[in-house]
């Protein structure tokens, strides 16, 4: 089985503080995402006003299942989401065909 990668691009909401956003993303990593089954890594990339999250999972099932909330949304994740302009968000999940 191959790894899977979330490729998520977005812009921040108008007036968002980049340092505050990065703190919220680190907290979301430490307290939420890194605890999900199959999590490997999360990279936060930026070019201009576009941000990209590359999140690597052990399997495609892990990537898909990680998106499902177990009931109430996590408040730490909600804080992270509050920085994102969801009208700009694009998300895809890719299988890793080959790594070098």
């Amino acid at each position: 089985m191959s790894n899977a990668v979330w490729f998520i691009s977005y812009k921040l909401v108008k007036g968002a503080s980049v340092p505050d956003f990065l703190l919220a993303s680190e907290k979301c990593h430490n307290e939420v995402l890194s605890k999900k089954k199959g999590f490997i890594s999360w990279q936060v990339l930026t070019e201009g006003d576009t941000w990209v999250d590359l999140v690597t999972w052990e399997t495609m099932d892990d990537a898909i299942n990680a998106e499902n909330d177990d009931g109430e949304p996590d408040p730490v994740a909600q804080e992270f989401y509050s920085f994102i302009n969801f009208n700009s968000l694009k998300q895809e999940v890719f299988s890793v065909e080959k790594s070098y």
Side-chain angles (χ1 to χ4, degrees):
M1 252 188 221
S2 65
N3 296 130
V5 175
W6 286 353
F7 180 93
I8 308 165
S9 67
Y10 53 90
K11 296 182 186 314
L12 300 182
V13 294
K14 188 173 177 92
S17 160
V18 170
D20 289 347
F21 166 69
L22 292 173
L23 283 173
S25 69
E26 183 176 1
K27 188 173 181 181
C28 189
H29 167 269
N30 293 342
E31 297 181 25
V32 180
L33 215 51
S34 67
K35 298 185 185 316
K36 299 268 186 180
K37 180 184 179 304
F39 174 84
I40 294 175
S41 68
W42 177 8
Q43 293 177 294
V44 179
L45 315 173
T46 187
E47 173 58 38
D49 65 348
T50 300
W51 293 80
V52 171
D53 291 346
L54 293 178
V55 184
T56 305
W57 300 93
E58 289 180 10
T59 69
M60 182 61 77
D61 284 344
D62 292 335
I64 291 167
N65 292 332
E67 294 183 274
N68 300 328
D69 283 327
D70 301 327
E72 290 294 313
D74 187 285
V76 172
Q78 291 298 101
E79 179 185 357
F80 169 72
Y81 298 149
S82 73
F83 287 90
I84 296 173
N85 175 344
F86 278 87
N87 291 326
S88 68
L89 188 134
K90 295 176 185 159
Q91 178 174 341
E92 297 180 76
V93 181
F94 294 93
S95 288
V96 176
E97 191 66 28
K98 186 149 181 81
S99 293
Y100 299 97

